[in-house]
Amino acid sequence: MAHNQNCNMAVPVFCLIFLLMPGASAFVCNFTDCEALLKFKGGITSDPKGYVQDWNEANPFCNWTGVTCHQSLQNRVIDLEIIDMRLEGSISPFLSNLSLLTKLSLQGNNFREEIPTTLGALSQLEYLNITENQLSGAFPASLHGCQSLKFLDLSVNNLSGVIPEELGWMKKLSFLSLSVNNLTGVIPAFLSNLTELTQLQLAVNYFTGQIPVELGVLSRLEILYLHTNFLEGTIPESLSNCTALRAISLIGNLLSGEIPSEMGNKLQNLRLLNFYGNHISGRIPVTFSNLSQITLLDLSINYLEGEVPEELGKLKNLKILYLHTNNLVSNSSLSFLTALTNCSFMKKLHLGSCLFSGSLPASIGNLSKDLYYFNLLNNRIRGEIPGSIGNLSGLVTLQLGYNHLDGTIPATFGKLKLLQRLYLGRNKLQGSIPDEMGQMENLGLLDLANNSITGSIPCSLGNLSQLRYLYLSQNSLSGNIPIKLSQCSLMMQLDLSFNSLQGPLPPEIGAFANLGLSLNLSNNNLDGEIPATIAKLVSVQAIDLSVNRFSGIIPSSVGSCTALEYLNLSKNMIQGTIPESLKQITYLKALDLAFNQLTGSVPIWLANDSVMKNFNLSYNRLTGEVSSMGRFKNLSGSALIGNAGLCGGSALMRLQPCAVEKKRRKLWKWTYYLSAIAISCFLLLLVYVGVRVRRFFKKKTDAESEEAILMAFRGRNFTQRELEIATDGFSDANLLGRGSFGSVYKAWIDDRVSFVAVKVLNEESRRCYKSLKRECQILSGIKHRNLVQMMGAIWNSQFKALILEFVASGLRGSVGYIPPDGLDLRKWVGAATPHHILDVVDMSLKREAHSSGALEKLKQCCVHVVDAGMMCTEENPQSRPSISLISRELQNLWKQMEFGK
């Protein structure tokens, strides 16, 4: 009894001593599972968020982050979930010691190197997910040892090689995803052994060969993703036997042949079918109308042909239908669109880039009210846009561009309050822009470019507070740019080019402070000065105001446009000097100021600008010495051509030496004074002689001589001596060209300030005399901007010549005379031939042809005429055809075009 009592007293004393022992509360990791976890931690090289800091012996490992132990078996790990922790390192092979592990989730980290082959020893493992890491190497064949595995996801890694045969032994697998890796070879037929599979995802790899027909035995398969590979051949009809399929994606392969019609009969559970981007041909199976559960049908970017089955209107649950970029056609009423009005849940409808023709039916206004994306881009649809389009109140994007739509723009567009993007460009729309378009309060993009729209830009567009992109180019718009448009303060790109807009550029242009892309107002009739407020466009990358009538100076404030990369002010009437402030624009790559009236010298900073790739200052009134340093060292003369007052520069510029230029100017100054006195005396004498001759030979005057004398006094009078001086004695240095009728020389006049072209008759031929006479008659009676003007003539028995306007490049010419030219314009015209020939045709001519319905006839005619012009302006004169050949060509064209009828 005493013994028992002593024992009973000893127990609590022992317990007390144990509790008071130093370190009695510390945990000792002397279990296999704990050691395996510490080995796993040892393979981690980076833990940016400190997720595994609590993995230490001060804390029982069953409490460590991501670790779950068995409820009844002490210290045995059954679940390890390290998800989206961005851990870096390698996966420890000692994880195989977690022999009771059923779930291993390591997705969303940065584990590298290969998957340990030892994982195949985890016979109890049912779930393995290592997606979204950077694992490399081959698929470990040893995983077939995980005979309990049902879920395997190794997607989004860098695995390579082929799928091993051992994978076909894992017959309990119901989910297999190897997508987004670098796997190669064929999709093996032995995958058909995995009869429990419900999801098979092998997308975004490098698989080749055909889709195995054996996959048709997978009766439980619900998801089949094989997209973005290099699969060839046809779509196996056996897939129709996978009646449980809910989604099938074959996007971006090389599949060909027709779509098996049986798919429409048997796949009643299908909700998603995506065959986008293959080489599939044939027709859309009518049986697809049986896919009653389908919500997404994408057959786009293939070679499908025939009409769209109207039976698709039976797909009541269809939300997204993409058929674009095929060879599909339609009847004239586009009746399949009417059928699709029964798809009351339709949200997105993309039918662009097909061969649909006919007119839009009014029934499109009955399409689903949920429709927010509607695309008919690049078809052959003609006729008017139905006013019922305004009933599609849910539209966010409407793309009708690149068709043959005509008529006016429906005012009902104003009802589309949710519309953000409206594309109507590249059609044949006429009439004016309706004011109601200013009611589309959410509109951010409006494209009406390349139509035949007339009238003015409505002020109501200024109400579009969300407008960021406005494209109205290539129309026939007139009037002023409305000041109210500046209220669109979010504007990022504005293109009003190739219209007939007039008046000044409003100073309110500065309100477009967010204009970050481009401002294009080129090819209009805008005038006045460029407002200084343009400096507020601090984010704009490109400004094009070329081919207008702007005058005044370039505002120095333009230097504040610090993001500017392209500035084109060519072909205006701008005066003054080139502002120094332009050098403040750090990223300016292209500057075009050609064909203006700029004076002063060429800025020296242009020579040192390393960013500037192209600049053009040709055909201005620049003077002074040009630097030959920096980028000017290798600069050709084309960028400065047409500035008679420039000298110096590199040899490539072919400018006159400055010392010679000054000496010649002084000589020509005296020559000019003496010539003026001599010419005055000569004219007085000529008048006197003329009066005397008229008195004596009034009745016997030869008609031809009288006509010659008359022509000699039309325009400015020149003497033979004056022309000899102006051409340095008709020297070869000033010879522009020589033909059978005579020679053409460049002559300096007005103290070498300007040039004329002197055409001297070859006296040896009577035929030459008649030719020159005829040319004189033609030029004296014609004034046209594309023909040189006759400035005078000399006509006597000893010397006969025409004095013509000198044009160094508009390719203007007279009968039998084409001046030397820079080839820029010729190249521009050549680049437009034949497909864009109307881009180089005068706008008034195009308007007249358009109004008379003869635009196509004009295009054909211009192609032939421009071809003739291109031959006549070959750089090598020996390559130019004879005028008789050109005459015959043009006569034949006249007959072919039936102009005489």
Side-chain angles (χ1 to χ4, degrees):
M1 188 72 176
H3 176 75
N4 292 337
Q5 185 177 2
N6 291 336
C7 287
N8 291 337
M9 292 179 62
V11 172
V13 173
F14 175 80
C15 293
L16 179 61
I17 293 173
F18 179 81
L19 292 172
L20 294 175
M21 286 176 62
S25 61
F27 167 73
V28 179
C29 187
N30 58 358
F31 300 98
T32 301
D33 286 13
C34 179
E35 292 174 350
L37 292 174
L38 288 179
K39 290 286 188 181
F40 174 76
K41 179 183 178 182
I44 297 174
T45 59
S46 176
D47 178 15
K49 297 295 182 68
Y51 285 113
V52 295
Q53 285 183 356
D54 62 348
W55 284 33
N56 56 66
E57 295 187 7
N59 187 19
F61 70 86
C62 287
N63 294 334
W64 291 355
T65 299
V67 177
T68 302
C69 289
H70 199 284
Q71 291 183 354
S72 57
L73 297 175
Q74 191 175 8
N75 298 322
R76 297 307 308 273
V77 177
I78 61 171
D79 189 350
L80 181 58
E81 296 187 66
I82 307 295
I83 302 173
D84 293 329
M85 296 183 182
R86 298 302 164 193
L87 303 179
E88 295 185 15
S90 59
I91 299 175
S92 170
F94 289 96
L95 284 181
S96 61
N97 292 335
L98 302 175
S99 58
L100 294 185
L101 194 67
T102 61
K103 185 174 184 179
L104 178 58
S105 300
L106 302 178
Q107 64 262 38
N109 289 287
N110 290 313
F111 289 117
R112 302 174 185 273
E113 301 183 14
E114 297 184 358
I115 299 173
T117 59
T118 57
L119 294 185
L122 297 173
S123 60
Q124 302 298 314
L125 193 65
E126 298 178 359
Y127 182 99
L128 177 57
N129 191 341
I130 321 181
T131 186
E132 295 185 42
N133 280 278
Q134 299 184 42
L135 297 168
S136 57
F139 182 100
S142 62
L143 285 182
H144 79 274
C146 304
Q147 286 299 309
S148 300
L149 201 60
K150 298 178 181 179
F151 185 101
L152 178 57
D153 191 348
L154 304 181
S155 61
V156 195
N157 279 286
N158 296 314
L159 300 178
S160 57
V162 300
I163 296 177
E165 183 180 358
E166 290 82 356
L167 181 59
W169 303 349
M170 304 171 69
K171 295 188 177 182
K172 290 187 178 181
L173 275 179
S174 63
F175 182 100
L176 174 61
S177 178
L178 303 177
S179 296
V180 195
N181 277 288
N182 299 317
L183 299 174
T184 57
V186 299
I187 296 176
F190 57 70
L191 292 181
S192 62
N193 296 331
L194 308 178
T195 55
E196 298 295 319
L197 273 182
T198 60
Q199 295 199 37
L200 176 58
Q201 302 183 20
L202 304 177
V204 195
N205 278 287
Y206 295 90
F207 292 121
T208 56
Q210 300 187 1
I211 300 174
V213 295
E214 291 83 356
L215 295 184
V217 303
L218 300 177
S219 59
R220 296 174 181 245
L221 196 62
E222 298 179 7
I223 305 293
L224 178 60
Y225 290 163
L226 304 179
H227 54 265
T228 319
N229 280 288
F230 295 90
L231 301 174
E232 301 175 311
T234 60
I235 301 171
E237 188 172 350
S238 61
L239 291 181
S240 304
N241 297 324
C242 303
T243 55
L245 273 174
R246 293 185 290 109
I248 177 170
S249 176
L250 305 178
I251 294 173
N253 280 287
L254 304 172
L255 299 170
S256 57
E258 298 186 0
I259 302 172
S261 60
E262 282 299 295
M263 298 185 82
N265 289 327
K266 294 183 177 181
L267 302 181
Q268 299 295 311
N269 294 307
L270 204 60
R271 289 173 170 77
L272 180 149
L273 187 149
N274 201 333
F275 293 168
Y276 162 94
N278 280 281
H279 299 161
I280 300 171
S281 57
R283 294 173 174 265
I284 300 174
V286 176
T287 57
F288 272 12
S289 62
N290 297 321
L291 302 176
S292 57
Q293 301 299 316
I294 200 162
T295 60
L296 184 150
L297 177 59
D298 189 348
L299 306 177
S300 57
I301 312 186
N302 279 289
Y303 296 97
L304 295 171
E305 56 192 18
E307 295 187 14
V308 178
E310 294 184 21
E311 288 80 359
L312 294 185
K314 297 179 181 180
L315 303 177
K316 302 294 185 182
N317 293 305
L318 191 60
K319 294 181 179 179
I320 299 175
L321 177 61
Y322 281 0
L323 302 177
H324 66 87
T325 320
N326 277 289
N327 296 323
L328 297 169
V329 297
S330 66
N331 55 34
S332 60
S333 61
L334 290 166
S335 57
F336 77 91
L337 284 177
T338 302
L340 291 178
T341 61
N342 295 318
C343 303
S344 56
F345 295 105
M346 186 80 75
K347 295 179 180 293
K348 300 180 73 176
L349 181 57
H350 195 342
L351 305 171
S353 298
C354 288
L355 303 176
F356 298 131
S357 57
S359 301
L360 289 174
S363 60
I364 64 169
N366 298 326
L367 288 169
S368 169
K369 294 296 185 291
D370 294 332
L371 188 67
Y372 68 87
Y373 181 88
F374 188 18
N375 193 329
L376 284 169
L377 167 75
N378 191 26
N379 278 285
R380 301 173 180 178
I381 301 172
R382 60 182 184 275
E384 298 187 358
I385 302 173
S388 61
I389 197 85
N391 295 336
L392 301 178
S393 56
L395 277 180
V396 175
T397 299
L398 177 60
Q399 172 61 281
L400 300 177
Y402 289 82
N403 278 286
H404 303 299
L405 295 169
D406 53 28
T408 59
I409 301 172
T412 53
F413 272 125
K415 297 165 62 177
L416 303 179
K417 304 298 184 183
L418 300 180
L419 195 65
Q420 296 180 16
R421 292 171 289 275
L422 176 58
Y423 301 89
L424 300 177
R426 294 277 180 177
N427 278 289
K428 299 178 181 179
L429 297 173
Q430 303 171 357
S432 59
I433 302 173
D435 287 335
E436 288 80 359
M437 298 196 80
Q439 299 172 11
M440 296 184 286
E441 54 197 36
N442 285 297
L443 195 67
L445 183 150
L446 176 59
D447 183 1
L448 302 177
N450 293 87
N451 279 287
S452 300
I453 300 172
T454 56
S456 59
I457 301 173
C459 294
S460 62
L461 294 187
N463 298 328
L464 302 177
S465 61
Q466 301 300 313
L467 193 62
R468 289 169 170 80
Y469 305 92
L470 179 59
Y471 308 117
L472 303 179
S473 62
Q474 300 279 357
N475 279 288
S476 300
L477 294 168
S478 57
N480 295 346
I481 298 175
I483 295 177
K484 194 173 180 181
L485 196 61
S486 62
Q487 295 180 9
C488 303
S489 58
L490 300 180
M491 189 78 72
M492 295 185 64
Q493 189 168 21
L494 177 61
D495 190 350
L496 308 180
S497 62
F498 290 93
N499 279 288
S500 299
L501 299 173
Q502 56 196 39
L505 180 59
E508 288 78 5
I509 193 73
F512 294 131
N514 290 308
L515 202 69
L517 295 176
S518 64
L519 171 66
N520 192 345
L521 306 178
S522 65
N523 292 274
N524 278 286
N525 298 319
L526 300 173
D527 54 25
E529 296 188 359
I530 299 173
T533 53
I534 201 169
K536 296 182 180 180
L537 307 182
V538 294
S539 300
V540 71
Q541 298 178 24
I543 295 178
D544 191 347
L545 306 180
S546 62
V547 197
N548 277 287
R549 300 176 180 176
F550 288 115
S551 57
I553 63 172
I554 302 173
S556 60
S557 60
V558 75
S560 300
C561 302
T562 52
L564 199 61
E565 297 181 9
Y566 174 85
L567 177 60
N568 190 346
L569 305 179
S570 64
K571 296 185 179 179
N572 280 285
M573 297 181 285
I574 299 173
Q575 303 170 344
T577 59
I578 301 172
E580 285 290 312
S581 61
L582 287 177
K583 67 182 179 182
Q584 301 172 11
I585 307 177
T586 309
Y587 303 105
L588 191 61
K589 298 177 181 177
L591 175 65
D592 194 344
L593 304 177
F595 293 94
N596 278 289
Q597 301 172 15
L598 295 170
T599 56
S601 60
V602 177
I604 190 64
W605 55 265
L606 278 176
N608 303 320
D609 194 325
S610 60
V611 177
M612 184 86 69
K613 302 299 182 185
N614 296 290
F615 74 90
N616 190 352
L617 306 179
S618 60
Y619 297 98
N620 279 283
R621 299 177 180 177
L622 300 174
T623 57
E625 184 173 0
V626 178
S627 171
S628 60
M629 304 299 291
R631 64 178 294 139
F632 283 5
K633 185 177 182 180
N634 298 315
L635 183 69
S636 67
S638 61
L640 300 173
I641 194 172
N643 291 280
L646 292 179
C647 63
S650 67
L652 291 175
M653 295 184 189
R654 298 182 180 178
L655 299 175
Q656 299 191 54
C658 292
V660 173
E661 177 68 13
K662 291 178 181 178
K663 184 176 180 180
R664 285 188 176 182
R665 285 185 181 179
K666 185 174 182 180
L667 176 62
W668 274 101
K669 184 176 180 181
W670 285 103
T671 304
Y672 175 79
Y673 292 147
L674 294 174
S675 298
I677 295 172
I679 291 172
S680 299
C681 295
F682 176 78
L683 289 175
L684 290 174
L685 179 62
L686 191 64
V687 171
Y688 174 77
V689 172
V691 171
R692 298 296 298 175
V693 170
R694 182 177 178 83
R695 288 179 178 177
F696 283 98
F697 303 101
K698 184 176 181 180
K699 294 182 180 180
K700 298 182 180 180
T701 300
D702 181 71
E704 186 171 303
S705 299
E706 182 177 341
E707 181 179 358
I709 294 174
L710 179 63
M711 288 190 293
F713 282 95
R714 296 193 65 168
R716 178 174 173 178
N717 290 314
F718 294 87
T719 66
Q720 180 176 350
R721 179 57 182 163
E722 182 181 3
L723 296 182
E724 289 176 349
I725 295 173
T727 58
D728 294 332
F730 298 105
S731 69
D732 288 343
N734 290 320
L735 181 65
L736 297 178
R738 179 175 287 122
S740 60
F741 290 178
S743 303
V744 182
Y745 298 88
K746 178 173 69 175
W748 293 81
I749 62 171
D750 299 332
D751 196 20
R752 301 188 69 84
V753 172
S754 58
F755 296 99
V756 293
V758 180
K759 182 170 184 178
V760 181
L761 177 66
N762 185 345
E763 285 292 328
E764 298 176 359
S765 172
R766 178 68 177 175
R767 180 184 172 196
C768 299
Y769 170 80
K770 292 181 179 179
S771 172
L772 194 65
K773 172 186 173 184
R774 181 59 178 163
E775 185 172 350
C776 184
Q777 291 173 334
I778 292 173
L779 289 180
S780 63
I782 295 179
K783 288 188 177 181
H784 191 276
R785 63 179 183 179
N786 290 332
L787 286 177
V788 294
Q789 301 299 304
M790 188 175 76
M791 302 177 64
I794 297 179
W795 206 271
N796 56 54
S797 60
Q798 304 298 323
F799 185 81
K800 295 179 176 64
L802 298 182
I803 294 86
L804 307 171
E805 176 189 7
F806 180 86
V807 182
S809 69
L811 289 181
R812 293 190 292 177
S814 73
V815 181
Y817 164 51
I818 298 228
D821 59 86
L823 294 182
D824 290 344
L825 180 59
R826 188 174 186 275
K827 289 180 180 177
W828 174 62
V829 173
T833 306
H835 300 297
H836 302 285
I837 189 65
L838 292 183
D839 290 348
V840 301
V841 176
D842 186 79
M843 183 63 74
S844 60
L845 192 59
K846 286 191 284 188
R847 288 197 200 101
E848 181 178 349
H850 184 274
S851 62
S852 61
L855 196 61
E856 187 61 31
K857 189 173 183 180
L858 173 65
K859 181 177 179 180
Q860 296 176 12
C861 178
C862 289
V863 168
H864 292 288
V865 172
V866 167
D867 282 344
M870 295 293 286
M871 290 190 291
C872 290
T873 55
E874 287 286 344
E875 183 176 9
N876 183 2
Q878 302 301 323
S879 301
R880 299 172 186 167
S882 65
I883 191 63
S884 60
L885 176 61
I886 294 299
S887 176
R888 285 197 301 271
E889 290 288 337
L890 294 179
Q891 287 175 0
N892 291 336
L893 176 63
W894 180 274
K895 295 177 182 178
Q896 293 173 9
M897 295 287 108
E898 299 181 343
F899 288 122
K901 295 185 177 180

